[in-house]
Amino acid sequence: MRLQLPNPGLEDRILSHEDLDKLETEEAGSGDRPKWDNKTQYMLTCVGFCVGLGNVWRFPYLCQSHGGGAFMIPFLILLVLEGVPLLHLEFAIGQRLRKGSLGVWSTIHPYLAGVGIASMFVSLMISLYYNTIMAWVMWYLFNSFQETLPWSQCPLNYNLTGLVSECEQSSPVDYFWYRETLNTTPDIGENGGLQWWMVLCLISAWAVLYICIIRGIETTGKAVYVTSTLPYVVLSIFLIRGLTLKGSLSGVVFLFTPDLTELTNPTTWLDAGAQVFYSFSIAFGGLISFSSYNSVHNNCEQDAVIISAVNGFTSVYAATVIYTIIGFRATERFDNCLGGNILTLLNTFDLPEGNVTENNYDQVLQSLNGTHPDIIQGLNLKTCDLNTFLSEGVEGTGLAFIVFTEAITKMPVSPVWSVLFFIMLFCLGLSSMFGNIEGVLVPLQDLGVFPKSWPKEATTGTTCVLCCIAGLIFVQGSGNYWLSLFDSFAGSIPLLIIAFCEMVGVVYLYGIDRFNEDIKFMIGHKPNLFWQITWRFVSPAIMFVIFVFYFITKVTETLLYKTWNPESENFPTLEEKPYPAWIYVIIFILAGIPSLAVPGTALYKCLRRKRDTKAEQQELKTVSNHIDVNDKAQDGKSHT
Amino acid sequence: MLYRPKADTIRRRWQNNSHICFFTKPESNLCWVKCTKRIACNKQLHDLQHGQEGMLVWVLFLLCQGVAPALTQDLCQRDAPNGYKVRISLKTALGEDAYEWNQSEMFFFRATMAFAMRRHFQMETYNVDNIILCVQTSRVSFWFVVTSPDNATMLIPKADVEKAVRMARHRINNAFLLSDRTLEFLGIHPTLAAPVNPDTPPWLIVFGVVIGAVCAGIIALLVSSLLQKRRKEKGMTEDGQDEEDMQVKGVENGINLDGTYNRGFTDDDRFTKL
């Protein structure tokens, strides 16, 4: 016997298979719920949601830092065991129950409504800070339409005697990012006020998002033709450009050189699992919504496999492209370092040019060290090692806004490459935002927060305006620190809990037997043994293990954050500071509230139901009294 | 006036005739011959070769040994208080098109410096003689000092030389096809280019364009959906009136129903079933 938790009343809450077929053929029913114009729109929207900024700036870093080519092994294994089953589950349940995330979980069991609410909360938090990243991308995009990119040189100081000292000590790209873009404060406590240029960019980001989601999937479906395909075009252009640059192949070789000893390190597997999980945008509720707009007999199994494959391929492709450019930058830095050393040697010993080249640098240095050791010591020559430059692995915003922008300034015709790169990042992020916002809007509609008389444009508009205002927190001076706080806590642990509850809810509360029957009805054949094993045992187990490790890691580590402090001793290295005490309250709100919403709502519903059943029982007594009276009247009538 | 014949010719002669070459600086590889005129110098050399005017030569030799070398040695030396070190990186600047740095180039440099000094001090006429170079290395680097045109023993102070160089820096660079980085005057920092500040930052222009387009799009979509709604409402009210008319006239499914109402088919559900 399969394990199945008791779930009374399930039949009443869901549409039967016959009803679903009727819905398919009837014209009237479809007017209520939006529909995809064609399958391409649906696939592109899902691909766009899954393929996001993480594929470009998180995966390459993980790949390079966890043994290069060897990282593919845990990544692919966990993709197949964790990503594909979860994706198939969300698609199938959305298509079957034909509701958004809140509706689906309330339908499966009223106590599971908390999962829907937690999904909505997480999607909301992530939408807020994700669109701020879009605002940063837009700022860089707007600034790329200049002949000399503003981050390619340091500005002059006030008296025009020299360069600004903060810029001189660090680098033009660092200065442009930390000072001219973020205007960052040295501490999260100092908020530094709103940065007006960033407010404008934030408004423009939300405006562009609004125009794409103004009528729901009717407009989103058209927008994804551009936002989901353009990144691939740009990546290909960059690949061709990158391969023609000097040193690009050394970057790619470095990325993919396998170090199989990393496979024994549990962190590698953990990071691979987390990357697969977050990269698939599971537990946001958006995927369930999107697949609920499909026709009932859409082949969700095929879709899940295709989208997983596309996501995996995009990660590897983007990593290759990024590392050609990083290889070029590292080679450029190495050449500059070596060139600087050679020049110093030539100048100090007045040797003719061309005497010391890259090839004989070591020999010459050794011989000079033998003859004039004290002079050599006094020169403080830097050690130049290409591998050190290559392994300066950066991820996240640092990769996009510092490392990559620096590499772009060294390429000829820099503004063109800059514009292309930031348009690609913008499209990647915008298509992910569609899914995030869907995960917020549909539960809000289901909860009845907006009056029914309001048109769709008004509800999306109100949501965008409110989110824009809430997002002002991220465009202050300390906004960057708030963003990384939200990123670490709002988008990590709650998602793992939600995904675990989803699996358990569908497999054990909805019933794996019923689910298998549903899939057989929808696509024509029962899901095979692979799906059975992964849904019932393997994927929940992997979720649980990742969750436990993540929780332990986060709870035990001292929470530090990196700040840009021009007054610190090790400037330009980022200074690590501990969070102030009141941040822990914020962390609890971010991570705790969605996690606790799951049991909390269950408890609330349980208590309310107990109260309702008591009231029902009382009513029953009075109704039965009523029936007795009627019967007497009947007897009276029949006798006449 | 100093005449500096081609190095290898003197060397050859030096090999043959030991008292023709005068060294001002023993460590450098170059020979200097002091004479009044170029032609005379050649003649002198020729005569020297043939042993004539030996006394004159010896006198000159002594003079040179005693006075002139000492003079130039005092004026131009490494770390001279009023001198500047110049460093030239030809291969870095020009790569394969790099020209050879030889005596002609040195002369050109002295001429350029004289031009720079003339340009700065417009009253005084500087000549190539007034620029003295020394401590030449194969890097290519050397020191130079500038003497006053009125008094060959007096050096022009460092600050004035700096001003002259700064003023004419662009011309000096271009004369040698070099740049601030490859023709270095150690101690004289290149003046930084004044930044070009546009009136409106370019990003604001792009921002304006994007926001304008997006707002226009939003307004267009809102207006179109409003028009669509109105059209639907108007269509529905017209349809609604048609339906009502049809019901009043007893038309159902387009068929006129005429007839009496059969009470046999009324619902008995008012009464509860037994």
Side-chain angles (χ1 to χ4, degrees):
Chain A
M1 272 303 284
R2 300 244 172 84
L3 173 65
Q4 159 96 35
L5 297 171
N7 195 350
L10 182 62
E11 298 276 335
D12 305 327
R13 293 193 294 266
I14 60 179
L15 294 166
S16 68
H17 292 176
E18 297 81 32
D19 292 334
L20 281 177
D21 268 330
K22 228 199 281 178
L23 209 65
E24 266 297 285
T25 50
E26 245 174 57
E27 221 106 77
S30 64
D32 201 17
R33 196 160 181 82
K35 249 173 29 174
W36 295 108
D37 285 343
N38 52 45
K39 184 79 183 278
T40 321
Q41 277 188 3
Y42 165 63
M43 292 298 276
L44 283 178
T45 312
C46 288
V47 163
F49 187 22
C50 294
V51 169
L53 294 172
N55 296 65
V56 166
W57 71 33
R58 175 105 179 116
F59 179 79
Y61 168 75
L62 284 177
C63 203
Q64 171 258 310
S65 65
H66 283 299
F71 185 74
M72 296 293 162
I73 299 173
F75 181 71
L76 288 171
I77 290 178
L78 287 170
L79 189 107
V80 167
L81 290 180
E82 182 196 346
V84 181
L86 275 170
L87 209 61
H88 188 196
L89 187 105
E90 289 214 346
F91 283 161
I93 203 75
Q95 201 172 297
R96 166 69 178 90
L97 297 178
R98 315 202 67 71
K99 293 202 179 130
S101 74
L102 191 66
V104 157
W105 304 116
S106 320
T107 309
I108 290 184
H109 199 287
Y111 291 179
L112 274 188
V115 176
I117 292 182
S119 275
M120 180 189 79
F121 192 77
V122 167
S123 285
L124 182 67
M125 294 290 114
I126 292 183
S127 298
L128 287 180
Y129 80 75
Y130 208 85
N131 228 25
T132 313
I133 301 179
M134 292 293 100
W136 291 341
V137 169
M138 286 199 104
W139 163 257
Y140 269 81
L141 181 64
F142 294 156
N143 272 296
S144 306
F145 288 94
Q146 294 173 49
E147 207 181 307
T148 44
L149 297 172
W151 54 85
S152 58
Q153 59 206 19
C154 278
L156 299 177
N157 63 13
Y158 190 65
N159 352 2
L160 298 183
T161 52
L163 306 171
V164 176
S165 75
E166 190 180 347
C167 188
E168 234 180 332
Q169 285 179 300
S170 54
S171 75
V173 270
D174 281 316
Y175 179 76
F176 186 76
W177 170 238
Y178 286 109
R179 188 56 51 212
E180 293 194 22
T181 306
L182 300 174
N183 199 10
T184 182
T185 55
D187 191 89
I188 196 171
E190 301 171 35
N191 73 353
L194 291 176
Q195 314 301 323
W196 65 269
W197 58 94
M198 283 274 83
V199 174
L200 289 181
C201 292
L202 187 73
I203 291 175
S204 63
W206 279 105
V208 174
L209 182 69
Y210 177 53
I211 196 178
C212 291
I213 61 167
I214 191 168
R215 286 195 202 144
I217 62 168
E218 193 187 319
T219 42
T220 310
K222 312 253 179 346
V224 289
Y225 282 120
V226 173
T227 61
S228 294
T229 51
L230 196 60
Y232 290 96
V233 173
V234 176
L235 276 176
S236 307
I237 295 175
F238 264 98
L239 182 70
I240 298 171
R241 168 78 267 212
L243 287 175
T244 56
L245 293 169
K246 181 187 174 201
S248 54
L249 284 174
S250 56
V252 179
V253 163
F254 182 75
L255 173 72
F256 287 123
T257 315
D259 177 12
L260 290 165
T261 55
E262 282 279 344
L263 290 179
T264 54
N265 185 2
T267 332
T268 310
W269 291 87
L270 212 68
D271 279 339
Q275 172 62 16
V276 166
F277 179 72
Y278 294 128
S279 143
F280 276 82
S281 311
I282 294 167
F284 280 71
L287 287 171
I288 299 180
S289 273
F290 286 147
S291 90
S292 72
Y293 304 133
N294 270 329
S295 80
V296 179
H297 293 290
N298 175 49
N299 192 347
C300 51
E301 180 181 18
Q302 201 187 50
D303 294 345
V305 172
I306 291 176
I307 289 179
S308 313
V310 169
N311 197 6
F313 161 75
T314 311
S315 293
V316 176
Y317 191 51
T320 315
V321 173
I322 295 283
Y323 263 80
T324 53
I325 306 290
I326 287 191
F328 159 70
R329 175 181 171 267
T331 311
E332 177 84 27
R333 280 202 154 186
F334 173 72
D335 284 344
N336 281 351
C337 177
L338 201 59
N341 283 355
I342 289 175
L343 199 66
T344 322
L345 281 182
L346 286 178
N347 288 350
T348 327
F349 293 99
D350 284 325
L351 305 165
E353 278 180 295
N355 247 18
V356 189
T357 60
E358 292 168 12
N359 301 332
N360 61 5
Y361 170 74
D362 293 313
Q363 296 163 314
V364 172
L365 184 64
Q366 251 185 346
S367 66
L368 285 174
N369 210 4
T371 48
H372 306 93
D374 36 343
I375 303 181
I376 297 284
Q377 288 285 357
L379 288 177
N380 285 333
L381 293 172
K382 296 181 272 195
T383 38
C384 302
D385 178 30
L386 186 61
N387 276 336
T388 324
F389 288 120
L390 280 172
S391 55
E392 273 175 2
V394 202
E395 55 159 340
T397 51
L399 176 70
F401 298 118
I402 297 180
V403 170
F404 215 85
T405 45
E406 191 189 332
I408 285 178
T409 56
K410 303 220 170 14
M411 302 201 284
V413 202
S414 316
V416 171
W417 303 114
S418 182
V419 167
L420 276 178
F421 178 64
F422 288 112
I423 283 187
M424 175 185 85
L425 284 189
F426 186 70
C427 286
L428 282 172
L430 190 66
S431 50
S432 299
M433 274 305 291
F434 294 154
N436 289 338
I437 280 287
E438 180 77 13
V440 173
L441 279 176
V442 174
L444 283 179
Q445 278 168 359
D446 288 343
L447 282 176
V449 168
F450 297 114
K452 287 265 185 300
S453 59
W454 278 19
K456 187 120 195 178
E457 290 88 348
T459 56
T460 46
T462 322
T463 316
C464 285
V465 167
L466 290 175
C467 286
C468 186
I469 294 175
L472 288 177
I473 193 179
F474 300 114
V475 293
Q476 305 169 355
S478 54
N480 189 27
Y481 308 134
W482 284 100
L483 199 133
S484 43
L485 187 76
F486 271 62
D487 192 24
S488 318
F489 295 104
S492 54
I493 294 198
L495 286 173
L496 289 163
I497 295 178
I498 295 170
F500 184 75
C501 292
E502 283 187 7
M503 288 214 109
V504 165
V506 169
V507 172
Y508 299 111
L509 263 179
Y510 186 73
I512 190 71
D513 292 323
R514 184 188 293 273
F515 194 54
N516 286 338
E517 287 301 314
D518 285 336
I519 294 185
K520 185 168 170 192
F521 164 72
M522 288 195 295
I523 64 179
H525 61 265
K526 205 171 129 168
N528 60 27
L529 190 63
F530 167 74
W531 302 110
Q532 305 298 324
I533 296 178
T534 47
W535 281 334
R536 284 154 71 185
F537 311 115
V538 176
S539 299
I542 297 178
M543 293 277 98
F544 187 69
V545 166
I546 296 179
F547 166 69
V548 164
F549 270 101
Y550 240 74
F551 191 70
I552 294 177
T553 325
K554 287 280 164 158
V555 164
T556 53
E557 72 181 7
T558 43
L559 293 171
L560 297 169
Y561 69 110
K562 296 200 177 148
T563 63
W564 176 262
N565 190 359
E567 263 106 64
S568 80
E569 300 163 344
N570 292 336
F571 187 76
T573 321
L574 296 173
E575 190 190 348
E576 286 203 349
K577 286 188 186 166
Y579 278 121
W582 50 272
I583 286 287
Y584 290 92
V585 176
I586 310 271
I587 292 177
F588 176 74
I589 293 177
L590 288 175
I593 288 192
S595 315
L596 293 176
V598 178
T601 324
L603 207 66
Y604 168 73
K605 293 248 167 179
C606 190
L607 291 173
R608 222 179 72 172
R609 210 177 113 178
K610 287 223 172 90
R611 200 175 39 138
D612 282 345
T613 45
K614 258 195 216 154
E616 256 181 54
Q617 278 174 348
Q618 286 176 348
E619 261 188 51
L620 271 166
K621 289 193 186 143
T622 53
V623 163
S624 56
N625 282 337
H626 239 281
I627 289 175
D628 287 336
V629 167
N630 269 348
D631 276 343
K632 284 191 189 142
Q634 276 285 49
D635 286 340
K637 242 192 174 166
S638 60
H639 282 311
T640 49
Chain B
M1 193 181 105
L2 282 171
Y3 167 65
R4 199 176 72 216
K6 271 215 193 118
D8 34 2
T9 47
I10 286 295
R11 261 200 228 111
R12 256 185 259 121
R13 293 219 173 117
W14 162 243
Q15 276 155 13
N16 296 335
N17 207 330
S18 62
H19 46 256
I20 293 190
C21 246
F22 305 103
F23 290 107
T24 51
K25 286 261 186 226
E27 55 263 34
S28 75
N29 268 343
L30 300 165
C31 304
W32 296 77
V33 171
K34 235 182 169 20
C35 49
T36 50
K37 268 203 279 188
R38 192 173 161 161
I39 302 165
C41 182
N42 269 336
K43 185 168 178 293
Q44 236 174 5
L45 283 172
H46 179 79
D47 290 339
L48 282 169
Q49 224 182 355
H50 298 276
Q52 287 165 12
E53 289 178 86
M55 279 307 292
L56 180 62
V57 169
W58 276 115
V59 166
L60 280 173
F61 178 83
L62 286 169
L63 276 173
C64 274
Q65 288 287 64
V67 179
L71 249 179
T72 46
Q73 218 160 21
D74 276 340
L75 290 173
C76 180
Q77 48 186 327
R78 189 192 286 274
D79 298 324
N82 279 318
Y84 276 104
K85 182 168 179 181
V86 177
R87 196 188 289 147
I88 296 182
S89 315
L90 285 170
K91 290 217 177 79
T92 317
L94 303 165
E96 292 196 347
D97 300 328
Y99 47 81
E100 191 198 325
W101 190 260
N102 51 25
Q103 305 295 355
S104 317
E105 305 291 341
M106 297 292 279
F107 177 76
F108 189 21
F109 181 80
R110 290 163 65 204
T112 319
M113 284 309 304
F115 159 74
M117 296 302 293
R118 281 202 190 195
R119 211 167 167 223
H120 183 59
F121 299 98
Q122 271 144 7
M123 305 295 357
E124 298 159 37
T125 50
Y126 284 86
N127 272 316
V128 180
D129 286 338
N130 298 118
I131 317 288
I132 308 173
L133 309 184
C134 49
V135 195
Q136 297 180 44
T137 66
S138 49
R139 164 67 181 83
V140 174
S141 70
F142 48 85
W143 284 80
F144 77 92
V145 289
V146 184
T147 59
S148 161
D150 310 317
N151 184 353
T153 52
M154 201 182 78
L155 288 179
I156 304 291
K158 206 163 172 168
D160 291 332
V161 176
E162 179 173 339
K163 277 189 219 151
V165 167
R166 265 189 204 276
M167 246 184 67
R169 190 65 188 266
H170 188 63
R171 299 292 297 274
I172 300 174
N173 284 349
N174 277 348
F176 290 94
L177 307 174
L178 298 173
S179 69
D180 281 347
R181 216 167 49 88
T182 41
L183 171 59
E184 297 167 76
F185 287 83
L186 297 187
I188 303 180
H189 295 295
T191 45
L192 301 158
V196 178
N197 267 335
D199 294 326
T200 40
W203 74 267
L204 261 183
I205 301 173
V206 184
F207 167 75
V209 169
V210 168
I211 274 279
V214 168
C215 283
I218 291 176
I219 292 173
L221 282 172
L222 288 175
V223 163
S224 80
S225 64
L226 213 70
L227 286 175
Q228 237 178 32
K229 216 163 123 191
R230 270 210 206 123
R231 226 177 288 145
K232 218 174 157 185
E233 269 172 25
K234 230 168 78 175
M236 259 181 66
T237 47
E238 281 176 12
D239 282 341
Q241 278 186 356
D242 286 344
E243 271 183 26
E244 275 180 19
D245 284 338
M246 283 167 78
Q247 273 187 358
V248 161
K249 287 184 187 155
V251 174
E252 205 173 277
N253 284 347
I255 306 166
N256 249 337
L257 290 177
D258 261 343
T260 51
Y261 187 57
N262 194 339
R263 294 186 101 231
F265 291 109
T266 50
D267 265 358
D268 283 337
D269 281 336
R270 282 182 289 144
F271 305 103
T272 51
K273 292 201 168 64
L274 293 166

